[in-house]
Every structure is written in C-alpha cells, then in structure tokens.
Amino acid sequence: QVGYELDESLGWAVTKSELEKQLRYARENGLTVKAMVILNPGNPTGQVMDRDVLEIICRFCSDNQIVLLADEVYQRNVYAPNKTFLSARKVALETPGCENLQLVSFHSTSKGLIGECGRRGGYMELHNIDSRVQENVHKLAATGLCSGLADQVMTSLMVNPPKVGDESYESFVAEEKTIYDGLVRRSHALVQGLDAISGVTCEQAEGAIYAFPSITIPQSACIEADKRNQTPDLMYVISLLEETGICVVPASRFGQRMVTVGFHTTFLPPDDKMQEAFEGFARHHASFCDRYGGLAIPTLCNDGMVIRSPGRGEKRSRGGEEPGHELCTRPPFTGRWKTENNMWTEIKTKYAKIKCALCNTKIRTYCKCDKKVPMCTECYGIHISNCSNTN
C-alpha cells in the first residue's frame, strides 16, 4: 500500500505533484500500483472535491493505467454553499483523455444522509471494467452472504426514493430535510466551536460527517509522548477521554504527517450536547497545555523563520548561536514544514491565531526585520523587498 497526502492549506486537496511523487516512489521500490482509492466527500477530513481536483485524479489514473476506486457514500452530505458533489464517473466522461479510465464507484445506506449504520446495504458500479472481471465479481457476490431483506429494501429506496405524488413523498422530504438541516447546523457549530479555542484550528467541514482539527501543544508534551512511546496526538486524545469522556481519534492513525498534531471527530451528537462538548474541549486543552508548561511565542531562527516553541524554563530568543537553536532540526509538532539541506525553512504555525499582516490568512512566516512582522509565504516576497527594517 502506498499513501498520498492531502494538503490542509488547500482545503485537504491532493495535487498532481504529490500523486506523481508517490507513484515514482512506488516504482523505485519495485512496487506496481494497481488501484487508487479516493473518498469524496472525504473521511476523515470532510472535504468536497472540486472538478479540477477530480480531473487531475482521473487523468492521472487513466495515464498510468490505474483503476480508480471512488468511495462516494457521503454524496448527499454537502454543506458548503459553494460546493457541489461531482461523481468521479461524471467527471471522467466529461474529461478528454479519460475515455478508457477503469472506475469502480461505491455507495451505501449505512453512511451518508440515510446513515442507517445497522442497515448493511449498498452497491458498486463498474465502469470500463473488463467483462471477464465483472463475471468473476458476480460469481464472488453470488457465493457469499447477501444483505437481509430490510437492507435490500433500504438500498432500493436509496436509488429510487419516493416521487412527487407518492403517498409517502411529503413525509419523506420533511424527514430528510430535518436530518440534513441538523447536519448543516452542527457542522458549522463544531468548526466554529473548535476554531474559537486558542491553539486549535479547524478547516470548514464541507461535507460528510467529520471534522479534522489541528492543535498546538507545548514542546515538552511532545517530549513526554516520546518517553511513553506514543505519538503526541495519541497522548492528547487519551487525556481528553480520561478528563472529559470525549472520544476522538488521533490524526496520526490516518497516516497523516507525524508533525501534524490533531484529531478526527464527528458532529453527529445532538445539538444540546455540542455546547457541552465545546466547553469540554476548551477546558481540557487549557489544562493539558498548562500541565506541560503552557504555549509560548515561537522561537525564531536568525533567518526569521519559526523554528519551535521554547520549552519549559527556556528563554525566548531568535535562535542563531543562542541556546536551543541546535534543536531546530527536531520536529516541532506544531504544523507542517519544508526541508532544505536539513534545515527547517518554513513552518505554518498555529500559535495564538496570528495571521498574515497583509492578507489576514492563518498561514504565515515572519519577516527578518526586528519587528517580526507575520507574513504568509505569498506576501513574504512582496513585503521583504520593501521592508526598511530588514537586518
């Protein structure tokens, strides 16, 4: 199995360069990639793929003779007003160069808007799949256990719901609207509630039933996690469960970069439980950070870039030859980084919701000047050429 990483700064999208890099890595290591799996809308990140991202994926799979497996069980769960679900099959049919793409699409009653987890019904559609393969799939399905009668009825209703004029149409639409409106309301509440906590940031939940927030924790907590042979986010979520009873899944369990500290959660709890959960999240995050020395302003290297947060008892400094700078090659566990000659040259930090001074985005670095002006990477080049305070 070969993983590919989603980019949080792009709304959890995947890029062509990332796919090509992972395919090249697989081939260099003697692996033959047969299929690629996508989840749209996403789990655990809750993103809804744009057409351009789906076109990249479809062309990539078609060009490299890779079968695309599209998990689309949350296709009715789209909450962002500027987003629309597009099936991989529709995009493939409308994209030049994808005429021969081999595609398998999946849908289910146990997920999505119906969300009847006890009803094990669903289907898959085979597109451009060799007839001999289809025959064997049918044989395999025929020799295995099938869903119960109620589950088969549920699947039939999912693909052929009540129509205007049917006796059950009005009650069906009313119940479905109630469920959908509740999910929209709670998705917005969850993201806003988490994003309001100092040290926690959360991308908008565009679809599905999940959110995937990132958190900032003290460096000393990361060191303690190392001593326990745990990832920092695993130690964090165990603490959250023990102190509040809130159960979430650490981000590291989804193959995300080890520098990402965060967790996977859902907005399925009833409305009256959501505010209680937010208070629990905030109370625990504050106590957890206090337990390990609290959060601090990031330490800066002499090139003006964020290196890491000072540990307990350390002085805040700009790095250079001062104590602590030699640790700048240690993962700071506060965001993502790019490396060049084994030095951290960029990191997107989450401290205190600091934003770019020019465009107000959350993604930033710092100008080299003594004023330490916070900048996103896009604005940095513009600012530095006009900054009179640069060393």
Side-chain angles (χ1 to χ4, degrees), residues 326-358:
E326 62 186 23
L327 295 178
C328 69
T329 55
R330 176 182 175 82
F333 294 101
T334 54
R336 307 184 196 288
W337 66 73
K338 295 179 181 178
T339 60
E340 182 177 345
N341 299 325
N342 296 320
M343 293 293 291
W344 308 121
T345 58
E346 178 185 358
I347 181 169
K348 302 170 186 177
T349 59
K350 311 290 184 179
Y351 292 92
K353 309 281 186 183
I354 302 173
K355 297 182 179 181
C356 174
L358 293 184

Side-chain angles (χ1 to χ4, degrees), residues 76-97:
R76 299 287 307 283
N77 298 64
V78 178
Y79 316 122
N82 62 331
K83 291 284 188 173
T84 302
F85 168 76
L86 292 170
S87 70
R89 184 176 183 273
K90 175 180 175 61
V91 173
L93 290 172
E94 297 175 352
T95 302

Side-chain angles (χ1 to χ4, degrees), residues 222-230:
C222 302
I223 296 173
E224 177 62 25
D226 288 342
K227 293 178 181 178
R228 299 185 187 186
N229 197 28
Q230 296 177 340

